[in-house]
Amino acid sequence: MDFKTADLYDAHGEALRVCEPIFRDFGGQSRFAGPVVPVKCFEDNSVVKSTLAEPGEGRVLVVDAGGSLRCAMLGDLIAASAVEQGWAGVILFGCVRDSVEIGQMPLGVKALASIPRKSQRRGEGQRDIPVTFAGVRFAPGDWVYCDEDGILVSDRALDP
């Protein structure tokens, strides 16, 4: 992917939504973009696992995990599934684990922190609904652009 979020912002300005700078890079790809698939779940990664097991087709899973710092919603096994299925990345308003392994994968991952505790699996969560965190709204059909400088959200695909 050949773009810089700073250049995209300069070209498109206020038409873009800019996430608050609260995320760290955990994946092996710091620069990634794609159509948004939003999910909402709290300390239960069932919907994260099932969604990333589907063909990704270059999409980005955007997870509103409520900002929980108590457990990880993504680990190396689920991240490996995302790579195998062709996902471009994951933006996680929550935590990861297995950060060294995830950092070696060709997957973009932005999250708040890393923690060794795994989440529960109770089969809870919602998919394909608008979610809001880090000061912006993510909806089905939106596009995200991520790099070392941050995350931009657009209503449509942009020409870099």
Side-chain angles (χ1 to χ4, degrees):
M1 239 323 92
D2 190 28
F3 68 88
K4 292 189 343 183
T5 56
D7 292 344
L8 288 174
Y9 187 82
D10 289 348
H12 300 279
E14 294 303 314
L16 302 175
R17 301 183 299 279
V18 181
C19 285
E20 295 165 350
I22 60 174
F23 296 96
R24 292 175 43 199
D25 283 306
F26 287 96
Q29 291 286 121
S30 56
R31 187 170 297 176
F32 61 100
V36 167
V37 177
V39 300
K40 185 170 187 157
C41 47
F42 185 74
E43 297 184 358
D44 177 343
N45 72 347
S46 301
V47 71
V48 173
K49 181 179 181 182
S50 64
T51 303
L52 291 175
E54 300 173 4
E57 301 169 339
R59 296 177 294 169
V60 176
L61 184 66
V62 176
V63 182
D64 181 354
S68 174
L69 299 176
R70 295 189 294 227
C71 66
M73 299 294 284
L74 180 72
D76 62 340
L77 298 178
I78 296 174
S81 173
V83 171
E84 290 170 17
Q85 293 297 326
W87 288 84
V90 178
I91 299 171
L92 179 55
F93 187 48
C95 294
V96 300
R97 67 186 210 159
D98 306 312
S99 61
V100 171
E101 291 82 0
I102 291 173
Q104 296 170 351
M105 296 180 189
L107 181 70
V109 178
K110 288 193 178 280
L112 299 178
S114 182
I115 188 169
R117 182 183 299 126
K118 67 180 179 178
S119 77
Q120 300 294 311
R121 288 217 185 106
R122 298 179 300 272
E124 298 173 359
Q126 299 170 287
R127 180 177 162 171
D128 298 322
I129 61 163
V131 297
T132 302
F133 58 82
V136 302
R137 179 178 186 266
F138 302 83
D142 286 347
W143 275 68
V144 292
Y145 295 86
C146 307
D147 69 6
E148 300 83 353
D149 288 336
I151 302 170
L152 298 176
V153 184
S154 174
D155 293 334
R156 59 183 175 78
L158 303 174
D159 294 324

